[in-house]
Every structure is written in C-alpha cells, then in structure tokens.
Amino acid sequence: MGAPRWRRRCLLLLPALAFSAVLYGRCRPAGGGSLLQQEPLLLVPPELSREAGSHDLTRESIIKRGQQSKYSPELEKPRPTWEQPSSCLQSLTSKVKADSKFGKLFDFRIPVLMWDRHLTSETWNKLKGRGVPYGWQGLSYTAIASTLRLLNDSANRWLIDRASFPGDCIRCAVVGNGGILNGSRQGKEIDAHDFVFRLNGAVTKGFEEDVGTKTSFYGFTVNTMKNSLIAYREYGFTQVPQSKELRYIFIPSDMRDYTMLRAAILGSPVQDGSDKGDEPSKYFGPEASAKKFKLLHPDFMHYLTARFLRSDIINTQYGYLYMPSTGALMLLTALHTCDQVSAYGFITDNYENFSDHYYELEKKPLVFYANHDMLLEAELWKSLHRVGIMKLYQR
Ligand SMILES: *[C@@H]1O[C@H](CO)[C@@H](O)[C@H](O)[C@H]1NC(C)=O
Ligand SMILES: *[C@@H]1O[C@H](CO)[C@@H](O)[C@H](O)[C@H]1NC(C)=O
Ligand SMILES: *[C@@H]1O[C@H](CO)[C@@H](O)[C@H](O)[C@H]1NC(C)=O
C-alpha cells in the first residue's frame, strides 16, 4: 500500500518511458493548458445552454445559432449522430439510460466526427485553447482549415450511415490486439458482426480462426500506425489493412495526423512536417477520396477522457504524455455509434495469464506505459460489461 496506485505504476514505468517515447512518440512540452482542462464540458455554446437548457436544444435553435456564425454562411450547423435515430429495440442506449452511473456519463448528442462544417470561428476559438488531442493549441489555422475543408462528403459526418443500413440494429465488434485472443477461436463470431473495428498492429493473416478477417474500420494515429509497422513487422504486420469497403479513422493526436489526412484525401505526398514526402497510398491503398477517411472530433476526445478515462496520471508530471489508448478510443467510438457492441482482445482482470498481443510467438507480459492507464481502462470495460452496455470477451 502506501503510494497511490498510479504512483506505484508510474515508478515501475519509468524505465519504459524512453522506449515509450519512441514507440508512441508522445513526448512534447506540456505547453500551458494542453492537458485535460477542469472546465465543465461545454457541449453546446454557453449562451445557448443558458437560453434553452442543455437538454432541450431544438433543431431551430441550432440553426439560428448557425446563422450567426461569421465563418460559415450556411444555415446548417454540423448535424450530430443523434439526428439519425436508431430503430433498434435492443440498443445499448436503453441500457445506458437505465443505468444510474453511465446514464450521466454518456452523451449521445456530442459529434463523434469532425468535418468541414465544423470550421467556424466558435470552434476555432474553443479548440485553440486546448492542446492536442483535445484541441488545436499552437497549430496553424491555415493548416487545420486546409484539411477540414476536404472533409466535405456526407460520409465524413457519420461513421455508419443509418439511412443506407438495411437492418434495424447495427452490431459492431471492436478487436483489440490482446493476447487473450490467442487460441480463442472467436474469428467466425467476430466476422458475423455488421462492422468490425481494428487498430494499430492488427494482424489477421495466419490468425483468422481467432480474430477473423473482416475489417470495416481501422483506427490509428499516424504515430501508432507507423510504429506498429516497425514493431510488429516480425509478427506479420507488414501492411495496414486495405480493402474497398474499409474506412480509416484518424485520431487527431498531433499536427501530423491532420497533415497525413489531407495528403491521403488528395492522393498526394505529405507536404510538410515529419512525414514530408511520404506517400499515403502506401498505407491506405490507391483510393484517395474524402469518403474513405473519418476524423475523430477533438471535443469527442476531450469528452471521452474527461468522462470515462480521467486518469490520475493527468495530475502528475507525466500528465502531458497521457491519453486513452487507441483501443479505448475505438471501443468508445463504437459505443457512441453502434447499437450493440462486443469487445474482443481488450484487457481483462486476468490479463497476466495472456501475452501482450495475440500474435507473439512466446508469451510477453503486457507492458504498462505511462502514456496510458490500462488498469483504469480494464475497470471501465468490466463495468460496461457488467451492466450489459457491451459484451467483453473474457476467458
Ligand atoms: C469537396 O471539395 C472538393 C475540393 O474542393 C470538390 O472538388 C468536391 O466537389 C467537393 N465535394 C462535395 C461533395 O461538395
Ligand atoms: C492465471 O494466472 C494466475 C495468476 O497469475 C495463475 O494462478 C493461474 O494458474 C493462471 N491460470 C491459467 C489458466 O494459466
Ligand atoms: C498461443 O497459444 C498456443 C496454444 O495454446 C500456445 O502454445 C502459445 O504459447 C500461445 N502463445 C503465446 C504468446 O502465449
């Protein structure tokens, strides 16, 4: 006992930090205000919430607000996911509403994705005060705007367009890369979902029986994607998953994510920054179009961290390194998008029984880096499973 849990963990982690910085590249100066701020989450403009109360926003009031916006002459404000209501009778939203704790944490009205209509003075002013991945502090308006303007397809607004989905309930599997999947024989069950999310070093070749083959979404930061290609190459991760149907989810953890996204949509080499000259088609295949790519909204990142994964690490000297893991971000994205969610390959109580990843040949212990709080994530998955909001694969 004695030291709080995070401190014991962080001390253990320090030797790993140098490697972590290489592997995850998240070492950057803290820069005032770049950490998760204590401000209440403003999901609606303050004036509006005073006028209307944040829970009964009408579409009319949103449009009215849009008309006042200087940068965006259009009448419409960005339309969030909840404007495509679900017809699913067994949707996780009903489980969420019925739960006293999660009913207060989930807010399905927050936009999950960011697209061109978000480029308003209001958004710029808010996000320039928060560091990445929760905002745009220190980033150039011109650079951000040149990326956002390209996200002008209706496919950039929704992860899944309910209007063209044939069924009632959207069933999603999110596949983490945990060793628990080795020998699990879950492949068929995973592939039977309508949509399958994968991330980072998601090797499927040779592991089909355990993890399936289908990939609908691949989530990453440019940093985690490139590091996965290096670190897991020896296990067969020689290429980012590609197919005609597959969509990529960019996590905006750094300017290089915006820069790569722009190049990917334009189908041209990256123009500046640390990836300058890199060819996006190497990672995402030949199709360069706005339809192919999605960008998580920095507000959504902020909301997820503040409400679901507000780790004690944030208040330590390593706070600037912290953000939820890529797997956590994908799982929470699915929970705000799909009607039913199953998680495979995520951390469980008995993680010590399994290797770090399902594709390792010899058992390697799960490595705890200071930039994530895997035990906090484990607790979250466990309680979401317990109350029936999602299904967590355990063995
Ligand atoms: C999106 O923007 C591009 C480049 O400005 C333009 O060519 C394209 O027609 C636009 N697409 C839509 C759906 O507005
Ligand atoms: C799982 O791990 C625990 C403690 O690390 C150990 O006691 C147990 O035997 C393990 N079980 C299996 C099936 O390996
Ligand atoms: C994966 O499972 C096989 C069969 O159970 C086992 O022999 C192997 O050691 C496991 N690999 C790791 C990395 O745990």
Side-chain angles (χ1 to χ4, degrees):
M1 284 286 103
R5 202 188 58 184
W6 66 262
R7 189 184 294 278
R8 275 181 279 131
R9 210 176 325 137
C10 279
L11 289 176
L12 278 175
L13 293 182
L14 275 180
L17 249 176
F19 177 58
S20 159
V22 176
L23 197 61
Y24 295 96
R26 294 196 40 77
C27 278
R28 52 186 154 74
S34 74
L35 290 187
L36 193 66
Q37 288 150 352
Q38 298 296 320
E39 71 187 54
L41 274 164
L42 288 179
L43 302 180
V44 293
E47 313 87 285
L48 204 58
S49 61
R50 271 200 304 275
E51 270 166 37
S54 59
H55 290 284
D56 49 33
L57 274 182
T58 60
R59 183 161 160 69
E60 285 67 31
S61 66
I62 291 173
I63 291 172
K64 187 167 146 238
R65 177 83 200 163
Q67 285 165 332
Q68 295 159 358
S69 169
K70 258 184 261 157
Y71 287 9
S72 136
E74 284 104 332
L75 298 188
E76 270 183 298
K77 283 290 280 182
R79 291 183 307 168
T81 326
W82 50 272
E83 284 206 5
Q84 285 199 319
S86 163
S87 55
C88 177
L89 295 178
Q90 291 98 36
S91 170
L92 65 90
T93 56
S94 56
K95 288 270 169 43
V96 166
K97 278 181 199 136
D99 187 83
S100 57
K101 176 179 148 204
F102 288 114
K104 291 194 198 80
L105 292 183
F106 276 85
D107 186 339
F108 293 103
R109 299 165 312 150
I110 187 161
V112 171
L113 300 180
M114 171 165 258
W115 64 94
D116 66 340
R117 296 277 173 81
H118 287 108
L119 192 63
T120 62
S121 53
E122 187 186 303
T123 305
W124 173 254
N125 287 332
K126 178 172 64 172
L127 294 187
K128 77 173 192 221
R130 279 194 218 137
V132 289
Y134 311 115
W136 294 331
Q137 193 171 59
L139 308 187
S140 126
Y141 176 83
T142 324
I144 292 286
S146 70
T147 298
L148 292 192
R149 280 198 198 99
L150 298 174
L151 295 169
N152 62 350
D153 193 279
S154 63
N156 299 125
R157 301 176 190 186
W158 295 294
L159 219 50
I160 298 162
D161 187 2
R162 285 186 185 272
S164 58
F165 182 74
D168 286 336
C169 298
I170 296 180
R171 297 173 59 246
C172 298
V174 186
V175 186
N177 301 324
I180 191 172
L181 286 174
N182 177 23
S184 68
R185 307 176 70 89
Q186 296 300 298
K188 271 210 181 95
E189 192 183 303
I190 289 171
D191 284 349
H193 289 77
D194 300 309
F195 297 92
V196 178
F197 292 67
R198 298 185 199 267
L199 50 114
N200 294 345
V203 188
T204 51
K205 195 162 183 287
F207 301 91
E208 294 85 351
E209 220 183 307
D210 290 340
V211 307
T213 57
K214 182 167 170 175
T215 306
S216 320
F217 298 104
Y218 174 79
F220 63 99
T221 71
V222 171
N223 188 52
T224 64
M225 173 185 77
K226 288 197 169 186
N227 286 328
S228 297
L229 283 166
I230 297 166
Y232 310 128
R233 186 179 179 83
E234 61 172 307
Y235 305 118
F237 190 67
T238 53
Q239 196 177 56
V240 170
Q242 291 179 8
S243 75
K244 195 170 177 303
E245 299 74 38
L246 201 154
R247 301 287 176 262
Y248 296 99
I249 304 176
F250 273 77
I251 297 169
S253 75
D254 191 280
M255 189 61 218
R256 70 193 289 208
D257 297 300
Y258 293 93
T259 313
M260 177 67 80
L261 174 56
R262 177 168 191 272
I265 296 173
L266 293 174
S268 60
V270 177
Q271 283 193 330
D272 41 38
S274 50
D275 304 300
K276 188 170 177 176
D278 210 356
E279 293 280 354
S281 60
K282 222 166 73 183
Y283 310 107
F284 313 119
E287 186 187 341
S289 83
K291 287 186 199 312
K292 195 87 182 151
F293 304 98
K294 322 268 186 188
L295 174 65
L296 289 190
H297 198 304
D299 265 349
F300 183 59
M301 303 276 296
H302 187 256
Y303 151 88
L304 292 184
T305 307
R307 297 231 183 148
F308 296 91
L309 291 167
R310 187 187 275 275
S311 170
D312 292 339
I313 296 173
I314 291 168
N315 304 318
T316 73
Q317 65 198 110
Y318 311 109
Y320 69 94
L321 288 168
Y322 175 77
M323 74 185 254
S325 69
T326 309
L329 292 169
M330 285 303 107
L331 184 45
L332 287 163
T333 295
L335 287 165
H336 285 77
T337 305
C338 312
D339 294 309
Q340 292 164 14
V341 174
S342 304
Y344 300 85
F346 279 78
I347 184 171
T348 54
D349 277 345
N350 61 344
Y351 68 87
E352 282 171 308
N353 289 77
F354 309 109
S355 194
D356 195 356
H357 301 104
Y358 60 77
Y359 34 78
E360 277 133 10
L361 306 175
E362 273 168 36
K363 187 171 169 190
K364 289 172 84 176
L366 174 63
V367 186
F368 289 93
Y369 295 112
N371 60 342
H372 299 316
D373 191 338
M374 299 310 281
L375 296 181
L376 182 62
E377 294 184 6
E379 279 170 35
L380 177 61
W381 313 144
K382 195 163 83 173
S383 45
L384 286 167
H385 173 84
R386 194 174 49 231
V387 302
I389 293 172
M390 70 170 201
K391 208 180 91 189
L392 174 65
Y393 173 70
Q394 301 175 80
R395 58 195 279 225

